């Protein structure tokens, strides 16, 4: 993917959203880390760049997850839940995602987010969502050309809809075909959803398996 290097080098210098730039750069570190352990920039996507048939779109990096480790869905509890599910679905080499050098490899999957900077309380404004989607997610979808997208949560689905020019209605476990892409929907694997049982591991594995079968990932 020749575009990927250019994409990441431009993305990590983005400062279009002043509120999010301030938050990502100043959020206090967790006690077991120091401020210098933190990435504090827009968080790059990653995945099976040579065979990215499924695009997984989260909401945004977590303040102490991607904003610390510098890789999307890496280093926080949402990431561990997602990667247990990816591993069970045969789409990840390991059932965890803890750092950029953890050696994890994913298959057929490209992992990104609707908003690329950690927002306070995990809540981007509508303006921030639109700005980020228009500058980055739309570009990614055009270049990756996934056969399936898995939107994790309502805000992620809204971002995917903006990128595809469609108004999409969220329903966990369902899918809709838009512009030649099948968009699957799942609740986000946030602690609030997983600790309450709103999203169980098997539920997410089922959505991943549906997408895997649809795109024909071997
Ligand atoms: Fe740029 Fe997106 Fe971060 Fe806004 S959220 S500063 S558009 S990378």
């Amino acid at each position: 993917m020749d575009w990927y290097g250019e994409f990441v080098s431009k993305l990590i210098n983005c400062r279009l959203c002043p509120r999010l730039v301030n938050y990502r750069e100043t959020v206090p570190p967790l006690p077991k880390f120091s401020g210098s352990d933190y990435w504090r920039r827009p968080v790059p996507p990653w995945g099976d760049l040579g065979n990215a048939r499924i695009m997984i779109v989260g909401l945004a990096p977590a303040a102490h997850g991607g904003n610390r480790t510098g890789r999307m869905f890496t280093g926080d509890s949402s990431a561990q839940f997602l990667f247990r599910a990816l591993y069970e679905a045969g789409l990840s080499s390991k059932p965890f995602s803890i750092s950029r050098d953890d050696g994890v490899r994913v298959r057929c999957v490209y992992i990104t987010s609707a908003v690329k900077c950690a927002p306070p309380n995990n809540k981007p404004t509508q303006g921030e969502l639109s700005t980020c989607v228009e500058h980055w997610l739309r570009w990614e979808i055009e270049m990756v050309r996934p056969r399936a997208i898995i939107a994790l949560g309502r805000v992620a689905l809204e971002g995917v809809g903006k990128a595809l020019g469609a108004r999409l209605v969220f329903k966990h476990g369902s899918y809709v075909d838009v512009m030649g892409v099948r968009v699957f929907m799942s609740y986000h694997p946030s602690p609030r959803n997983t600790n309450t049982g709103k999203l169980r591991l098997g539920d997410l594995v089922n959505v991943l398996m549906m997408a895997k079968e649809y795109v024909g990932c071997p």
Side-chain angles (χ1 to χ4, degrees):
M1 280 197 178
D2 295 341
W3 66 276
Y4 180 78
E6 180 193 356
F7 177 87
V8 171
S9 66
K10 288 184 173 167
L11 171 70
I12 62 175
N13 290 302
C14 183
R15 303 181 70 84
L16 285 168
C17 308
R19 188 182 77 110
L20 301 190
V21 170
N22 179 61
Y23 184 69
R24 79 189 190 206
E25 292 181 351
T26 62
V27 62
L30 293 176
K32 59 185 172 182
F33 300 109
S34 78
S36 61
D37 291 331
Y38 278 60
W39 170 254
R40 298 194 183 283
R41 300 177 86 165
V43 178
W46 63 294
D48 187 356
L49 298 178
N51 190 21
R53 304 183 197 186
I54 304 170
M55 177 180 279
I56 295 177
V57 182
L59 162 57
H64 305 290
N67 188 53
R68 176 174 59 83
T69 61
R71 193 177 72 178
M72 192 55 207
F73 275 114
T74 301
D76 65 330
S77 56
S78 299
Q80 306 327 308
F81 195 93
L82 174 62
F83 272 77
R84 283 207 304 278
L86 283 166
Y87 183 75
E88 287 213 9
L91 295 169
S92 172
S93 63
K94 296 181 182 171
F96 56 77
S97 170
I98 52 176
S99 69
R100 277 183 288 167
D101 57 3
D102 59 14
V104 173
R105 295 283 175 271
V106 290
R107 294 176 56 240
C108 304
V109 168
Y110 176 97
I111 299 168
T112 192
S113 54
V115 173
K116 304 289 194 277
C117 295
N121 301 315
N122 296 315
K123 284 188 181 149
T125 65
Q126 279 292 317
E128 290 160 351
L129 176 64
S130 295
T131 299
C132 207
V133 166
E134 279 161 24
H135 281 82
W136 305 112
L137 184 62
R138 187 170 288 160
W139 183 1
E140 288 176 288
I141 292 174
E142 279 171 12
M143 300 313 291
V144 173
R145 296 188 172 276
R147 294 200 57 214
I149 292 175
I150 301 175
L152 298 176
R154 292 174 195 278
V155 178
L157 183 71
E158 194 180 340
V160 170
K162 286 177 187 286
L164 295 176
R167 189 176 291 271
L168 306 178
V169 178
F170 183 85
K171 184 165 183 272
H172 170 79
S174 70
Y175 64 81
V176 62
D177 293 328
V178 189
M179 310 273 290
V181 182
R182 182 157 292 188
V183 180
F184 294 87
M185 306 167 208
S186 167
Y187 293 128
H188 192 281
S190 64
R192 192 172 50 188
N193 288 338
T194 58
N195 292 342
T196 58
K198 185 174 182 181
L199 179 68
R200 292 165 300 174
L201 188 65
D203 300 331
L204 186 52
V205 172
N206 284 343
V207 174
L208 293 171
M209 291 300 295
M210 281 197 296
K212 181 182 176 186
E213 282 172 23
Y214 176 70
V215 304
C217 180

